[in-house]
Amino acid sequence: MPDLILCLGGTAEARALAARVPVLTSLAGRVRQPALPVGEARIGGFGGVEGLVAWLRRHRPVAVVDATHPFAEQMSRHAVLACDEVGIPLLRLQRPGWVSGAGDRWTRVPTLAAAAAAVGDRCALLTTGRQAVAPFLGLRHAVLRAIERPADVPASWTVVLGRPPWSLEDELAQIAEHGVEVVVTKDSGGPAAPKLEAARMRGLEVIVVDRPPVLAASVVSTVDDAVDWLSTVTG
Ligand code: NAP
């Protein structure tokens, strides 16, 4: 039987790795109809660190690649703890963060709560994802994008229903229509985001939430480097 490699995450990097190397991709199962990667996939949580330890003991992968989103903090921490306990090499594959350029007005903050404080009384376009709304619930003005209207957002907020990706035209139109004064984003990285370009064009401040620290000992930012690392581990 060929060596099993477990790859965590449904990110672009995870998908690109699965297209290059035979891996078993693990998806959280949050999306109703996930776009499946090339090769084998399993779906759903492992059941905490204990569950992941049990899974690793049962399936004995030769390596684990954590290619989850840069803000999937819990899964990444569980991967470090479980791989340490079972003695399986772990690689963190994480795309580089965004870098500001000429004309950008970015303020970096360490947490979502700090981002909410930095918004103050301005009307914020919140692009931090539906699971990261709670720290902003005290804001008076906000524009939130969602696929379905969330139950608990303040009545004074504007909810824009729709599915990403948002084009530059969408971003400019939403900024104008809803009087957006500041944009809030996680430093997700990846291809240049239209929301960042739109903010630059309109001279708006962008509050960028920094990534949580990487806990894994081995870290790469490209799929090529992940393939090289795997070749050293799998021989
Ligand atoms: P998280 O908070 O770090 O993880 C929460 C729990 O979800 C984990 O403890 C684990 O459950 C399960 N889980 C997460 N990723 C998994 C995976 N690849 N395979 C199996 N179980 C997984 O993660 P999250 O922020 O909820 O993100 C879930 C998924 O959405 C990740 O794969 C991530 O890449 C993606 N995503 C996250 C963000 C973000 O901003 N956080 C943005 C876009 C996409 P158990 O404890 O039961 O094992």
PDB file of all heavy atoms in Angstrom, residues 106-123:
ATOM      1  N   TRP A 106      -3.604  51.148   5.467  1.00  0.00           N
ATOM      2  CA  TRP A 106      -3.900  49.962   6.264  1.00  0.00           C
ATOM      3  C   TRP A 106      -3.498  50.189   7.715  1.00  0.00           C
ATOM      4  O   TRP A 106      -2.445  50.756   7.999  1.00  0.00           O
ATOM      5  CB  TRP A 106      -3.112  48.736   5.763  1.00  0.00           C
ATOM      6  CG  TRP A 106      -3.552  48.209   4.444  1.00  0.00           C
ATOM      7  CD1 TRP A 106      -4.403  48.793   3.559  1.00  0.00           C
ATOM      8  CD2 TRP A 106      -3.137  46.979   3.856  1.00  0.00           C
ATOM      9  NE1 TRP A 106      -4.540  48.001   2.460  1.00  0.00           N
ATOM     10  CE2 TRP A 106      -3.786  46.883   2.611  1.00  0.00           C
ATOM     11  CE3 TRP A 106      -2.285  45.954   4.264  1.00  0.00           C
ATOM     12  CZ2 TRP A 106      -3.600  45.791   1.762  1.00  0.00           C
ATOM     13  CZ3 TRP A 106      -2.097  44.871   3.430  1.00  0.00           C
ATOM     14  CH2 TRP A 106      -2.753  44.794   2.189  1.00  0.00           C
ATOM     15  N   THR A 107      -4.322  49.669   8.613  1.00  0.00           N
ATOM     16  CA  THR A 107      -3.962  49.628  10.024  1.00  0.00           C
ATOM     17  C   THR A 107      -4.009  48.172  10.439  1.00  0.00           C
ATOM     18  O   THR A 107      -5.047  47.524  10.286  1.00  0.00           O
ATOM     19  CB  THR A 107      -4.983  50.430  10.876  1.00  0.00           C
ATOM     20  OG1 THR A 107      -5.015  51.763  10.374  1.00  0.00           O
ATOM     21  CG2 THR A 107      -4.593  50.429  12.337  1.00  0.00           C
ATOM     22  N   ARG A 108      -2.883  47.651  10.909  1.00  0.00           N
ATOM     23  CA  ARG A 108      -2.863  46.246  11.333  1.00  0.00           C
ATOM     24  C   ARG A 108      -3.223  46.152  12.803  1.00  0.00           C
ATOM     25  O   ARG A 108      -2.746  46.949  13.615  1.00  0.00           O
ATOM     26  CB  ARG A 108      -1.489  45.635  11.073  1.00  0.00           C
ATOM     27  CG  ARG A 108      -1.265  45.346   9.606  1.00  0.00           C
ATOM     28  CD  ARG A 108      -0.047  44.477   9.378  1.00  0.00           C
ATOM     29  NE  ARG A 108       0.011  44.065   7.984  1.00  0.00           N
ATOM     30  CZ  ARG A 108      -0.544  42.960   7.511  1.00  0.00           C
ATOM     31  NH1 ARG A 108      -1.170  42.128   8.312  1.00  0.00           N
ATOM     32  NH2 ARG A 108      -0.440  42.668   6.235  1.00  0.00           N
ATOM     33  N   VAL A 109      -4.059  45.182  13.124  1.00  0.00           N
ATOM     34  CA  VAL A 109      -4.456  44.965  14.524  1.00  0.00           C
ATOM     35  C   VAL A 109      -4.304  43.465  14.824  1.00  0.00           C
ATOM     36  O   VAL A 109      -4.364  42.639  13.912  1.00  0.00           O
ATOM     37  CB  VAL A 109      -5.917  45.424  14.788  1.00  0.00           C
ATOM     38  CG1 VAL A 109      -6.069  46.930  14.642  1.00  0.00           C
ATOM     39  CG2 VAL A 109      -6.896  44.696  13.876  1.00  0.00           C
ATOM     40  N   PRO A 110      -4.114  43.132  16.116  1.00  0.00           N
ATOM     41  CA  PRO A 110      -3.841  41.720  16.429  1.00  0.00           C
ATOM     42  C   PRO A 110      -5.075  40.823  16.497  1.00  0.00           C
ATOM     43  O   PRO A 110      -4.937  39.610  16.354  1.00  0.00           O
ATOM     44  CB  PRO A 110      -3.159  41.791  17.801  1.00  0.00           C
ATOM     45  CG  PRO A 110      -3.603  43.082  18.397  1.00  0.00           C
ATOM     46  CD  PRO A 110      -3.899  44.024  17.264  1.00  0.00           C
ATOM     47  N   THR A 111      -6.242  41.398  16.758  1.00  0.00           N
ATOM     48  CA  THR A 111      -7.427  40.550  16.985  1.00  0.00           C
ATOM     49  C   THR A 111      -8.668  41.188  16.373  1.00  0.00           C
ATOM     50  O   THR A 111      -8.684  42.385  16.064  1.00  0.00           O
ATOM     51  CB  THR A 111      -7.703  40.396  18.501  1.00  0.00           C
ATOM     52  OG1 THR A 111      -7.947  41.714  19.032  1.00  0.00           O
ATOM     53  CG2 THR A 111      -6.561  39.746  19.242  1.00  0.00           C
ATOM     54  N   LEU A 112      -9.725  40.384  16.281  1.00  0.00           N
ATOM     55  CA  LEU A 112     -11.019  40.890  15.805  1.00  0.00           C
ATOM     56  C   LEU A 112     -11.550  41.956  16.770  1.00  0.00           C
ATOM     57  O   LEU A 112     -12.124  42.965  16.349  1.00  0.00           O
ATOM     58  CB  LEU A 112     -12.015  39.741  15.681  1.00  0.00           C
ATOM     59  CG  LEU A 112     -11.704  38.705  14.589  1.00  0.00           C
ATOM     60  CD1 LEU A 112     -12.521  37.441  14.815  1.00  0.00           C
ATOM     61  CD2 LEU A 112     -11.998  39.274  13.205  1.00  0.00           C
ATOM     62  N   ALA A 113     -11.360  41.746  18.077  1.00  0.00           N
ATOM     63  CA  ALA A 113     -11.835  42.716  19.068  1.00  0.00           C
ATOM     64  C   ALA A 113     -11.120  44.056  18.879  1.00  0.00           C
ATOM     65  O   ALA A 113     -11.743  45.127  18.961  1.00  0.00           O
ATOM     66  CB  ALA A 113     -11.594  42.174  20.481  1.00  0.00           C
ATOM     67  N   ALA A 114      -9.825  44.000  18.595  1.00  0.00           N
ATOM     68  CA  ALA A 114      -9.079  45.240  18.360  1.00  0.00           C
ATOM     69  C   ALA A 114      -9.566  45.912  17.074  1.00  0.00           C
ATOM     70  O   ALA A 114      -9.601  47.142  16.972  1.00  0.00           O
ATOM     71  CB  ALA A 114      -7.577  44.936  18.275  1.00  0.00           C
ATOM     72  N   ALA A 115      -9.959  45.106  16.104  1.00  0.00           N
ATOM     73  CA  ALA A 115     -10.497  45.675  14.859  1.00  0.00           C
ATOM     74  C   ALA A 115     -11.796  46.412  15.149  1.00  0.00           C
ATOM     75  O   ALA A 115     -12.015  47.529  14.668  1.00  0.00           O
ATOM     76  CB  ALA A 115     -10.733  44.570  13.831  1.00  0.00           C
ATOM     77  N   ALA A 116     -12.670  45.803  15.961  1.00  0.00           N
ATOM     78  CA  ALA A 116     -13.950  46.438  16.303  1.00  0.00           C
ATOM     79  C   ALA A 116     -13.694  47.767  17.016  1.00  0.00           C
ATOM     80  O   ALA A 116     -14.348  48.774  16.726  1.00  0.00           O
ATOM     81  CB  ALA A 116     -14.783  45.499  17.170  1.00  0.00           C
ATOM     82  N   ALA A 117     -12.710  47.787  17.927  1.00  0.00           N
ATOM     83  CA  ALA A 117     -12.404  49.024  18.651  1.00  0.00           C
ATOM     84  C   ALA A 117     -11.879  50.089  17.690  1.00  0.00           C
ATOM     85  O   ALA A 117     -12.196  51.277  17.826  1.00  0.00           O
ATOM     86  CB  ALA A 117     -11.377  48.732  19.744  1.00  0.00           C
ATOM     87  N   ALA A 118     -11.104  49.671  16.696  1.00  0.00           N
ATOM     88  CA  ALA A 118     -10.514  50.632  15.749  1.00  0.00           C
ATOM     89  C   ALA A 118     -11.563  51.233  14.812  1.00  0.00           C
ATOM     90  O   ALA A 118     -11.361  52.314  14.275  1.00  0.00           O
ATOM     91  CB  ALA A 118      -9.403  49.941  14.939  1.00  0.00           C
ATOM     92  N   VAL A 119     -12.668  50.527  14.623  1.00  0.00           N
ATOM     93  CA  VAL A 119     -13.732  51.046  13.741  1.00  0.00           C
ATOM     94  C   VAL A 119     -14.393  52.273  14.370  1.00  0.00           C
ATOM     95  O   VAL A 119     -14.694  53.249  13.674  1.00  0.00           O
ATOM     96  CB  VAL A 119     -14.801  49.951  13.474  1.00  0.00           C
ATOM     97  CG1 VAL A 119     -16.052  50.552  12.846  1.00  0.00           C
ATOM     98  CG2 VAL A 119     -14.228  48.870  12.568  1.00  0.00           C
ATOM     99  N   GLY A 120     -14.596  52.233  15.682  1.00  0.00           N
ATOM    100  CA  GLY A 120     -15.252  53.347  16.373  1.00  0.00           C
ATOM    101  C   GLY A 120     -16.688  53.510  15.900  1.00  0.00           C
ATOM    102  O   GLY A 120     -17.431  52.533  15.796  1.00  0.00           O
ATOM    103  N   ASP A 121     -17.031  54.747  15.533  1.00  0.00           N
ATOM    104  CA  ASP A 121     -18.426  55.019  15.177  1.00  0.00           C
ATOM    105  C   ASP A 121     -18.621  55.048  13.662  1.00  0.00           C
ATOM    106  O   ASP A 121     -19.669  55.459  13.163  1.00  0.00           O
ATOM    107  CB  ASP A 121     -18.831  56.366  15.790  1.00  0.00           C
ATOM    108  CG  ASP A 121     -20.342  56.471  15.902  1.00  0.00           C
ATOM    109  OD1 ASP A 121     -20.993  55.425  16.133  1.00  0.00           O
ATOM    110  OD2 ASP A 121     -20.862  57.581  15.704  1.00  0.00           O
ATOM    111  N   ARG A 122     -17.602  54.635  12.942  1.00  0.00           N
ATOM    112  CA  ARG A 122     -17.706  54.685  11.469  1.00  0.00           C
ATOM    113  C   ARG A 122     -18.520  53.514  10.922  1.00  0.00           C
ATOM    114  O   ARG A 122     -18.698  52.503  11.592  1.00  0.00           O
ATOM    115  CB  ARG A 122     -16.300  54.668  10.862  1.00  0.00           C
ATOM    116  CG  ARG A 122     -15.509  55.925  11.194  1.00  0.00           C
ATOM    117  CD  ARG A 122     -14.106  55.849  10.667  1.00  0.00           C
ATOM    118  NE  ARG A 122     -13.286  54.852  11.364  1.00  0.00           N
ATOM    119  CZ  ARG A 122     -12.044  54.539  11.018  1.00  0.00           C
ATOM    120  NH1 ARG A 122     -11.479  55.133   9.984  1.00  0.00           N
ATOM    121  NH2 ARG A 122     -11.365  53.643  11.704  1.00  0.00           N
ATOM    122  N   CYS A 123     -18.956  53.658   9.675  1.00  0.00           N
ATOM    123  CA  CYS A 123     -19.687  52.568   9.031  1.00  0.00           C
ATOM    124  C   CYS A 123     -18.667  51.615   8.405  1.00  0.00           C
ATOM    125  O   CYS A 123     -17.921  51.993   7.493  1.00  0.00           O
ATOM    126  CB  CYS A 123     -20.623  53.122   7.958  1.00  0.00           C
ATOM    127  SG  CYS A 123     -21.462  51.795   7.065  1.00  0.00           S
TER     128      CYS A 123
END
